[in-house]
Amino acid sequence: MTDKIQATVSTRANVYFDGKCVSHGIELPDGTKKSVGVILPSTLKFNTGAPEVMELVEGECRVRLAGSEGWASYAGGQSFSVPANSSFDIEVTKTLHYVCHFG
């Protein structure tokens, strides 16, 4: 991941779960869509439309994908994938900075 990109950024924040998750949408010149955000310590459930890859920049969490019994631990520098039309539970233990890659 690079810290510098050419993109269109949505200046209006997406605020979810009473402010526990805040993100901004990004569209690259080739039409690729991403979001960049922060999740504060909490346990949340997200639903997906498109497939997603959550690239963790900093922080710590546990994730349980839909249909799975177990939790997997992740930290900054790691990523996890979520299928389209699915969901995942996330327990953030240390404020999580992320980039979500759609599609």
Side-chain angles (χ1 to χ4, degrees), residues 40-102:
L40 300 177
S42 55
T43 301
L44 308 171
K45 181 180 191 107
F46 287 90
N47 296 306
T48 63
E52 298 181 6
V53 174
M54 291 286 288
E55 179 182 357
L56 309 181
V57 177
E58 185 175 277
E60 296 176 1
C61 67
R62 294 186 328 140
V63 174
R64 181 175 56 202
L65 299 176
S68 176
E69 294 287 324
W71 292 81
S73 295
Y74 296 94
Q78 296 181 303
S79 63
F80 63 91
S81 298
V82 184
N85 303 311
S86 187
S87 65
F88 64 97
D89 297 310
I90 186 165
E91 179 184 61
V92 175
T93 54
K94 185 175 178 186
T95 299
L96 195 65
H97 301 252
Y98 69 89
V99 178
C100 181
H101 306 268
F102 298 103

